[in-house]
Amino acid sequence: GAGVSQTPSNKVTEKGKYVELRCDPISGHTALYWYRQSLGQGPEFLIYFQGTGAADDSGLPNDRFFAVRPEGSVSTLKIQRTERGDSAVYLCASSLTGTTSYEQYFGPGTRLTVT
Amino acid sequence: GQQVMQIPQYQHVQEGEDFTTYCNSSTTLSNIQWYKQRPGGHPVFLIQLVKSGEVKKQKRLTFQFGEAKKNSSLHITATQTTDVGTYFCAQNSGGSNYKLTFGKGTLLTVNP
């Protein structure tokens, strides 16, 4: 079956611009996660959705970052007034549920470059 | 906050040699997961360990969870070039079943 998909695969934007990153999880997975990965580091947790609601957004670095999952499937990570420090690979993952510790299936990521 | 420390950061081996990466925590872990990320790729789940002293094998890969549930290891026997990548351990953090905190990973390179 289809895995987690993310679009775009690459995004180059100018400092100060707004960007949206999309994630399409595995069908039937109720839990969805966003991570950010910088070069040479492990993925860093940003936000977790169980269904439509953001159950834990404690990893979002500041209020420029926001994510939605209006119908409990596709999610969009939104970054306002981008800064050069936002450059990283943004990974989306999904799992069957978040209420039990399950393996997380990662998408290919979106490489964001802020110039 | 909770952190898992991974060593070594890098490991270069000749094809056929063994490889081990270690993951250590100062606190008791509820479970630990291992992921592999190929160069340019995304993390792929390998295994989850839950029980104290647990040992699991996947072909040439052996995963161990310490008796005190504070450390874990991944051992690869007779490495192959297909083993190249970064191996991450990850722990559930913040008392949750969903929030994963990843170590910095061990980058394995294999000389054919």
Side-chain angles (χ1 to χ4, degrees):
Chain A
V4 177
S5 61
Q6 291 186 246
T7 55
S9 54
N10 280 284
K11 176 71 178 178
V12 180
T13 190
E14 292 180 347
K15 179 176 177 297
K17 298 289 188 185
Y18 167 82
V19 296
E20 289 190 352
L21 312 179
R22 176 190 165 108
C23 172
D24 203 336
I26 292 172
S27 177
H29 281 191
T30 61
L32 184 146
Y33 316 81
W34 283 98
Y35 292 85
R36 179 167 69 174
Q37 187 173 27
S38 300
L39 196 62
Q41 303 294 317
E44 174 192 7
F45 172 85
L46 295 177
I47 188 169
Y48 153 66
F49 288 89
Q50 181 60 41
T52 59
D56 185 345
D57 65 358
S58 61
L60 294 178
N62 51 60
D63 61 6
R64 294 187 297 105
F65 288 74
F66 188 71
V68 296
R69 194 187 184 197
E71 297 178 357
S73 178
V74 170
S75 175
T76 305
L77 177 66
K78 308 180 180 194
I79 309 175
Q80 297 178 321
R81 304 183 303 281
T82 51
E83 299 177 357
R84 292 195 180 88
D86 298 335
S87 296
V89 175
Y90 288 82
L91 294 164
C92 176
S94 70
S95 66
L96 207 55
T97 176
T99 55
T100 304
S101 183
Y102 275 110
E103 62 186 278
Q104 296 185 12
Y105 294 82
F106 283 81
T110 293
R111 182 176 298 278
L112 176 65
T113 304
V114 182
T115 62
Chain B
Q2 291 176 296
Q3 274 196 332
V4 284
M5 305 301 291
Q6 258 189 277
I7 53 171
Q9 192 174 357
Y10 307 98
Q11 183 80 58
H12 178 74
V13 300
Q14 288 292 128
E15 190 172 22
E17 291 181 339
D18 292 356
F19 159 76
T20 305
T21 175
Y22 300 90
C23 191
N24 299 300
S25 171
S26 57
T27 59
T28 302
L29 304 171
S30 57
N31 59 61
I32 197 152
Q33 297 184 5
W34 285 91
Y35 289 79
K36 176 184 178 182
Q37 186 171 23
R38 294 183 187 271
H42 56 275
V44 174
F45 175 84
L46 294 176
I47 209 153
Q48 176 169 271
L49 304 173
V50 178
K51 299 177 182 176
S52 167
E54 190 168 17
V55 178
K56 288 189 176 180
K57 292 191 176 184
Q58 290 178 353
K59 297 182 180 178
R60 294 178 295 104
L61 276 61
T62 302
F63 303 84
Q64 292 191 344
F65 203 8
E67 293 290 341
K69 299 182 73 172
K70 288 187 176 181
N71 56 73
S72 181
S73 65
L74 158 58
H75 179 82
I76 303 178
T77 304
T79 54
Q80 300 175 358
T81 54
T82 53
D83 296 325
V84 165
T86 302
Y87 292 85
F88 293 99
C89 61
Q91 60 157 333
N92 283 120
S93 58
S96 77
N97 286 323
Y98 57 84
K99 187 174 182 177
L100 286 179
T101 298
F102 283 78
K104 289 191 173 182
T106 296
L107 172 60
L108 171 65
T109 54
V110 179
N111 200 31

